Amino acid sequence: MRKLMDSHSLIHFIAITAVLFLSGQTIAQTDQPFTLSVSSQDITVLVGENEEFNLVFRGFLNESGKVYFYEQHDGLINVIPNVVDLQPSTQSNAEVLYPIRVEGVHPGHLEVTSNYTIGSRNFHGENMFIRITVAISDAIIYISIVVGWIYFVAWSISFYPQIYYNFQRKSVVGLNPDFLALNIVGFVMYSVFNCALFWSPGIEAEYFERFPRGLNPVLVNDVVFSLHAAFATAITIAQCFIYERGDQRVSMIARGILGIFLVVVIVCAILAGTNVFHWLDFLYACSYIKLTITLIKYVPQALMNYRRKSTVGWSIGNILLDFTGGILSMLQMMLNAYNYDDWDSIFGDPTKFGLGLFSVAFDIVFIIQHYVLYRHKSGSTKNLTESSGENVPEKY
């Protein structure tokens, strides 16, 4: 019995020793006395030209090593060199820069990742990756930027012709309240998505945990535009309570749609609050509501114009600016698709392009209604509300 107990003790001792040894070995491998990083994680290079970044070594290294760079897609770039020899360093605070050249071969997008070896040990370079964009023309890049700012301005000021028109007429008769109700909810959802992802460290951490090599998709201009759009729409809604509106009311159909959206938001918020899914998923639900509203929000106004046989009360300035912004937005997508040989961004995932095209199609409908079908229709507010012998419809 004593021998059996001694055997068990010996086995127990060996097991503990092995665990401690392996733990110590893991610590020795993970707690390196040096760091490896890259000087830039986003590079744009033109076809036939070169750009450089540095592999940065900091710390102490008592044996040689190698860093290997791997291209996500072959044939787009050449990484020179794609293997870097790390030399031993006896200084604890040494910093060594290894220049790496990237040669553009074919337009496109890709990532360059890396692994490295120290002696006989292998490591994965978690943070040593580079997002590379290969472009055909530098001029197209700048043209795309200018086009982007123009449509940003066009969309931003597109709210004010309607506000001024309402002020000038002291009436909102002819402006469909369903459109306003859907629009304010859409822009509030868009603002929630943008503000949370832009300003909340927790939400941003969730995003990068899900997309570790991605970029935050929300920029400051997205935040400014969404908040400004919600503000301008709120002003227009306030005008509905100040100026003459006839018997126009939000229809039961619109109220039902908004009620469904409210239920979705509440349910998703509860699920996120109880950790059933992440708050990032809640924000995506908000963005899907915004996309849905973009598809349907113009329908009430178009039907209202058709039934009244008039566009009086509905500002054509708003439509012309929205049309300009939509056309330029699609132009920018086409320019980028050509410059980066990224036609899949349009035809492979047509959501963004399709939404822009859908909005432009409605703008064309409104332009035809205003300048062709009902261009001679004008008159007083009373005439407008009694056109065709009917009141302005509450429902569409």
Side-chain angles (χ1 to χ4, degrees), residues 242-263:
I242 299 172
Y243 301 138
E244 180 184 359
R245 66 176 184 270
D247 57 358
Q248 296 180 157
R249 300 290 185 274
V250 177
S251 71
M252 293 303 297
I253 295 177
R255 293 179 186 182
I257 293 172
L258 294 176
I260 293 172
F261 290 153
L262 178 61
V263 170

Side-chain angles (χ1 to χ4, degrees), residues 309-328:
K309 300 298 185 288
S310 172
T311 59
V312 176
W314 174 242
S315 173
I316 194 62
N318 165 33
I319 295 305
L320 294 176
L321 287 167
D322 188 69
F323 178 78
T324 300
I327 290 294
L328 292 178

Side-chain angles (χ1 to χ4, degrees), residues 43-47 72-77 104-111 131-136 336-343:
I43 294 176
T44 298
V45 60
L46 299 180
V47 173
Q72 181 185 19
H73 304 297
D74 294 332
L76 298 184
I77 61 169
V105 176
H106 188 276
H109 301 275
L110 75 155
E111 286 185 357
R131 292 176 289 260
I132 297 179
T133 300
V134 186
I136 294 174
N336 291 341
Y338 167 75
N339 203 27
Y340 307 129
D341 193 23
D342 188 20
W343 297 102

Side-chain angles (χ1 to χ4, degrees), residues 162 165-166 169 171-176 248 301-319 362-379 384 387 392:
Q162 185 69 58
Y165 190 36
N166 296 341
R169 297 171 63 234
S171 171
V172 293
V173 174
L175 175 60
N176 192 281
Q248 296 180 157
Q301 187 66 55
L303 286 177
M304 186 179 188
N305 294 345
Y306 168 74
R307 289 171 177 171
R308 295 169 62 239
K309 300 298 185 288
S310 172
T311 59
V312 176
W314 174 242
S315 173
I316 194 62
N318 165 33
I319 295 305
F362 261 109
D363 290 334
I364 293 173
V365 169
F366 289 126
I367 290 171
I368 293 174
Q369 285 182 328
H370 185 81
Y371 289 110
V372 179
L373 299 178
Y374 315 130
R375 69 181 184 276
H376 299 303
K377 187 69 177 180
S378 62
L384 293 174
S387 60
V392 176

Side-chain angles (χ1 to χ4, degrees), residues 21-312:
F21 173 77
L22 291 175
S23 300
Q25 188 178 41
T26 302
I27 293 172
Q29 289 183 3
T30 56
D31 292 344
Q32 299 287 358
F34 63 87
T35 61
L36 283 170
S37 61
V38 290
S39 58
S40 176
Q41 290 188 312
D42 290 281
I43 294 176
T44 298
V45 60
L46 299 180
V47 173
E49 297 189 8
N50 300 297
E51 293 290 338
E52 282 194 357
F53 68 92
N54 290 319
L55 172 65
V56 183
F57 170 89
R58 292 186 180 92
F60 169 78
L61 184 63
N62 60 1
E63 54 185 326
S64 61
K66 290 181 181 293
V67 177
Y68 302 87
F69 290 100
Y70 303 96
E71 302 164 23
Q72 181 185 19
H73 304 297
D74 294 332
L76 298 184
I77 61 169
N78 292 322
V79 179
I80 306 170
N82 59 0
V83 179
V84 177
D85 292 317
L86 299 178
Q87 301 301 323
S89 172
T90 57
Q91 298 179 2
S92 60
N93 59 349
E95 178 177 286
V96 182
L97 304 180
Y98 297 91
I100 311 295
R101 182 161 56 91
V102 176
E103 180 184 51
V105 176
H106 188 276
H109 301 275
L110 75 155
E111 286 185 357
V112 172
T113 57
S114 64
N115 291 329
Y116 63 96
T117 61
I118 303 297
S120 60
R121 294 164 295 172
N122 298 318
F123 302 91
H124 178 59
E126 291 289 344
N127 298 317
M128 289 168 32
F129 65 90
I130 309 99
R131 292 176 289 260
I132 297 179
T133 300
V134 186
I136 294 174
S137 169
D138 208 21
I140 296 179
I141 294 176
Y142 290 110
I143 292 173
S144 176
I145 293 172
V146 171
V147 168
W149 277 107
I150 293 174
Y151 77 67
F152 172 79
V153 172
W155 275 341
S156 295
I157 65 177
S158 67
F159 300 94
Y160 292 99
Q162 185 69 58
I163 293 173
Y164 177 73
Y165 190 36
N166 296 341
F167 170 77
Q168 190 179 43
R169 297 171 63 234
K170 299 297 187 290
S171 171
V172 293
V173 174
L175 175 60
N176 192 281
D178 291 359
F179 166 76
L180 293 176
L182 291 169
N183 219 22
I184 188 66
V185 172
F187 284 125
V188 167
M189 293 293 99
Y190 191 36
S191 298
V192 168
F193 177 85
N194 287 336
C195 292
L197 200 51
F198 187 77
W199 275 313
S200 171
I203 298 295
E204 190 176 42
E206 285 185 17
Y207 180 84
F208 286 121
E209 182 179 353
R210 191 171 300 184
F211 307 103
R213 292 175 182 165
L215 291 172
N216 190 327
V218 177
L219 303 177
V220 64
N221 59 314
D222 297 315
V223 176
V224 172
F225 174 79
S226 58
L227 290 174
H228 171 261
F231 171 75
T233 305
I235 291 178
T236 310
I237 291 174
Q239 289 180 316
C240 295
F241 294 95
I242 299 172
Y243 301 138
E244 180 184 359
R245 66 176 184 270
D247 57 358
Q248 296 180 157
R249 300 290 185 274
V250 177
S251 71
M252 293 303 297
I253 295 177
R255 293 179 186 182
I257 293 172
L258 294 176
I260 293 172
F261 290 153
L262 178 61
V263 170
V264 171
V265 170
I266 292 174
V267 170
C268 290
I270 292 173
L271 292 176
T274 54
N275 296 322
V276 175
F277 60 45
H278 295 94
W279 281 106
L280 182 62
D281 298 308
F282 168 78
L283 295 180
Y284 280 133
C286 293
S287 71
Y288 297 147
I289 290 174
K290 163 59 180 168
L291 292 177
T292 304
I293 288 175
T294 300
L295 290 173
I296 65 175
K297 68 179 183 179
Y298 289 119
V299 174
Q301 187 66 55
L303 286 177
M304 186 179 188
N305 294 345
Y306 168 74
R307 289 171 177 171
R308 295 169 62 239
K309 300 298 185 288
S310 172
T311 59
V312 176

